[in-house]
Amino acid sequence: MFEFGRELRRILGQNVLGLSARSDPDTSLYELMNLEMLIAQGHSLDTEISRVSSKNTLEHCLESALIWREYARRTGDTLAITKATTAAEKAGQSAINGVDAARAARIQADICLLSYDLFETPDLLDSAESLLAQARAAVDPHHNHSLDAAFTLTEARLLARLALRQGVGGDLEPALEAMAQIDRAVEKYDHLVRQSGATKDKIEAANARIERCDLLALVGIDRKDSRLLKAVIKELSALKIRFDPQFEPLTTARLSQRLALVKAHMGQIDGTPEGVADALSVLGLKADLLPYEHSPMDWLEHKQTMALALQILADLTAEERLSEQALSLYDLAMSKPLQKGLRARAELINNRVACLTRLAELKGDLLALDAAEDAFKSELITTNPNEDPVGWAILQTNLGRLYVSRCDLTGFMPGRTEIAYALEAARDIFEEFGLKTLLGLTDRNLMRIRQA
């Protein structure tokens, strides 16, 4: 078997089972493993599982599920999700008691939630809910502190995503329920950290706080409440200094990206360019926080956040040069391979074309708008609505926004009926895929076109 994990434990002076003598895999080691290492470890585990003489099938299956889930999180690879799911299911079949079955079911639920985060397939939330309910009914995890904390965090993640699907613009009760469960997860993982001092528990405690900050930030952005965002910035800043980028590069990069994103939005809400500039300094303008080869999805989030911050700064200062820099970052991100259907890909396409439109608006001339229109139409020609419906809908929505901008400059909007039909088709797609943010943008464009 590929012995990276065992050798690293020896170097760091850690017991193979961890300081708390738990048999759970030490997932903190994944931070230092690049994609090639993850694949090698995953294949080695899968080979061991397939052997008839394998003496520890359950533990090998659980670790295989975790390895492939981590690979899927970093890449959006659907084959890795399938491998993770298969391994978790086999772990459940290999379980000889309720606790082992519950461990397998919780990991399956986590894989469902990751898949939802990547592709926004609503049915996956139902699957996660069912798996957690069945496992809770079969065994009481309170007798196992590690399992109890893990269950609480997975349930909190589920509640947070259910709340976000309902929207945070109206009833806040679902979000408050999710927040309460996240708080419980933070408390339980903090207790484990005090008991064991294990890095894996420290990272999971940070993941729970990241969930809390993500939810609070979305509420604050929706309500344009910079006080909420200030509280999020305070927590993320305190959390970031607890981690060493040499040993926990993934967690450090995720915290930096979120800290920068919240600072950029707070600067936008308060109208303070210096706040947005501070966000850019967190990301680092000269070097990547994390190499693309280590985690493509985290690298992509870094580039998207930097581009968004540049665009916000361009809007606050009316500097065309900043919009051009943002556009070049979006182009760089688009040059990397991204699987169709990924939510991150849809966001990237939307943000890029929105940046292109905004740049044309900042220049305030019809030639710039014409150039942007030509670029959109060229992309539409190569985008098949059957193969990539969300990408097609995003292009139509932003093309509609461009026509609104042209109308603002000229007072005319030729082809208004055709534009409205295209936007209504895009709206149907966003509604079908549950993309509420893009749905709201389309509705605003439709309203402007109908008023023109």
Side-chain angles (χ1 to χ4, degrees):
M1 286 182 62
F2 181 66
E3 297 295 342
F4 175 83
R6 184 178 300 172
E7 182 65 14
L8 192 57
R9 289 186 186 93
R10 183 188 66 76
I11 292 170
L12 297 177
Q14 294 182 1
N15 184 282
V16 172
L17 296 182
L19 294 176
S20 58
R22 298 199 305 263
S23 59
D24 300 342
D26 188 355
T27 52
S28 68
L29 299 176
Y30 300 167
E31 295 261 337
L32 298 173
M33 296 170 71
N34 61 24
L35 295 182
E36 288 183 2
M37 290 176 176
L38 287 175
I39 290 174
Q41 182 76 332
H43 285 325
S44 296
L45 287 164
D46 292 346
T47 300
E48 187 69 18
I49 291 166
S50 65
R51 289 177 182 165
V52 177
S53 60
S54 180
K55 296 180 180 180
N56 206 353
T57 301
L58 172 71
E59 298 304 329
H60 288 148
C61 286
L62 289 175
E63 184 162 11
S64 175
L66 293 173
I67 283 280
W68 289 119
R69 184 193 67 179
E70 176 62 13
Y71 186 86
R73 188 197 71 76
R74 295 193 207 176
T75 62
D77 185 72
T78 53
L79 179 58
I81 293 174
T82 301
K83 284 178 173 289
T85 303
T86 301
E89 289 173 349
K90 193 163 186 177
Q93 294 163 6
S94 304
I96 57 175
N97 57 51
V99 171
D100 288 340
R103 290 169 67 201
R106 188 201 64 80
I107 291 174
Q108 278 184 264
D110 253 354
I111 294 167
C112 287
L113 294 178
L114 170 65
S115 300
Y116 173 78
D117 289 345
L118 291 172
F119 297 100
E120 285 196 314
T121 307
D123 293 348
L124 291 169
L125 296 182
D126 296 334
S127 299
E129 192 168 20
S130 176
L131 285 162
L132 289 170
Q134 290 172 22
R136 281 282 193 188
V139 65
D140 182 4
H142 290 90
H143 298 302
N144 182 316
H145 294 312
S146 170
L147 184 60
D148 184 32
F151 256 95
T152 305
L153 180 53
T154 301
E155 289 167 341
R157 284 174 171 147
L158 173 63
L159 289 173
R161 281 141 188 80
L162 290 170
L164 292 176
R165 271 197 67 78
Q166 294 182 42
V168 293
D171 182 16
L172 276 181
E173 192 58 38
L176 292 174
E177 183 184 357
M179 198 71 68
Q181 188 72 353
I182 295 172
D183 289 341
R184 285 189 280 272
V186 169
E187 182 181 348
K188 290 176 181 180
Y189 269 113
D190 283 350
H191 178 69
L192 282 178
V193 171
R194 288 192 295 270
Q195 279 192 324
S196 69
T199 303
K200 58 177 285 186
D201 292 330
K202 179 184 170 185
I203 290 173
E204 286 303 295
N207 287 335
R209 284 181 166 86
I210 286 172
E211 290 287 339
R212 180 163 66 192
C213 288
D214 284 351
L215 192 53
L216 270 174
L218 287 170
V219 174
I221 292 167
D222 181 77
R223 282 165 168 67
K224 297 188 178 355
D225 187 341
S226 60
R227 292 172 303 174
L228 264 181
L229 299 186
K230 188 175 182 180
V232 173
I233 289 170
K234 183 178 179 181
E235 177 157 18
L236 288 172
S237 298
L239 192 56
K240 184 185 170 189
I241 61 176
R242 301 181 195 175
F243 291 90
D244 186 337
Q246 296 299 317
F247 293 100
E248 297 99 15
L250 288 165
T251 300
T252 304
R254 292 179 68 210
L255 288 168
S256 298
Q257 181 267 327
R258 280 164 169 78
L259 180 59
L261 185 64
V262 178
K263 283 190 172 190
H265 279 295
M266 191 169 84
Q268 183 181 38
I269 291 169
D270 292 342
T272 53
E274 58 272 17
V276 185
D278 189 29
L280 288 166
S281 68
V282 170
L283 292 170
L285 291 173
K286 294 183 180 179
D288 291 336
L289 293 174
L290 199 67
Y292 175 81
E293 294 75 16
H294 198 83
S295 179
M297 296 297 285
D298 288 307
W299 179 90
L300 178 66
E301 288 294 330
H302 174 270
K303 289 292 172 282
Q304 284 236 65
T305 302
M306 184 177 286
L308 181 63
L310 285 168
Q311 185 57 58
I312 291 173
L313 194 57
D315 289 340
L316 290 175
T317 61
E319 279 281 347
E320 295 175 19
R321 176 181 53 84
L322 295 172
S323 284
E324 290 168 351
Q325 290 177 7
L327 188 60
S328 68
L329 281 172
Y330 285 129
D331 288 340
L332 174 62
M334 285 292 293
S335 70
K336 303 295 185 181
L338 275 176
Q339 185 163 313
K340 290 181 179 178
L342 280 172
R343 182 182 67 174
R345 182 174 182 273
E347 290 175 351
L348 177 58
I349 294 171
N350 178 66
N351 291 341
R352 179 186 172 278
V353 294
C355 180
L356 189 60
T357 305
R358 186 61 184 137
L359 180 58
E361 291 170 349
L362 280 173
K363 289 183 176 179
D365 64 74
L366 294 177
L367 289 177
L369 291 174
D370 289 341
E373 181 182 1
D374 290 341
F376 290 158
K377 287 182 175 179
S378 295
E379 290 193 50
L380 273 171
I381 291 171
T382 60
T383 303
N384 188 325
N386 295 319
E387 295 178 359
D388 188 10
V390 173
W392 178 88
I394 288 170
L395 287 169
Q396 291 288 8
T397 299
N398 282 279
L399 191 57
R401 174 182 169 177
L402 186 143
Y403 289 140
V404 168
S405 299
R406 177 178 284 131
C407 182
D408 289 341
L409 286 173
T410 65
F412 298 100
M413 186 181 291
R416 183 177 59 178
T417 303
E418 290 78 6
I419 298 165
Y421 279 139
L423 285 176
E424 285 169 357
R427 189 188 189 285
D428 290 342
I429 290 171
F430 294 146
E431 193 165 35
E432 179 185 348
F433 283 84
L435 301 172
K436 292 193 173 184
T437 302
L438 295 174
L439 189 63
L441 175 63
T442 307
D443 283 340
R444 289 193 293 274
N445 283 337
L446 270 170
M447 185 180 297
R448 291 288 304 281
I449 286 167
R450 286 166 179 159
Q451 291 172 347

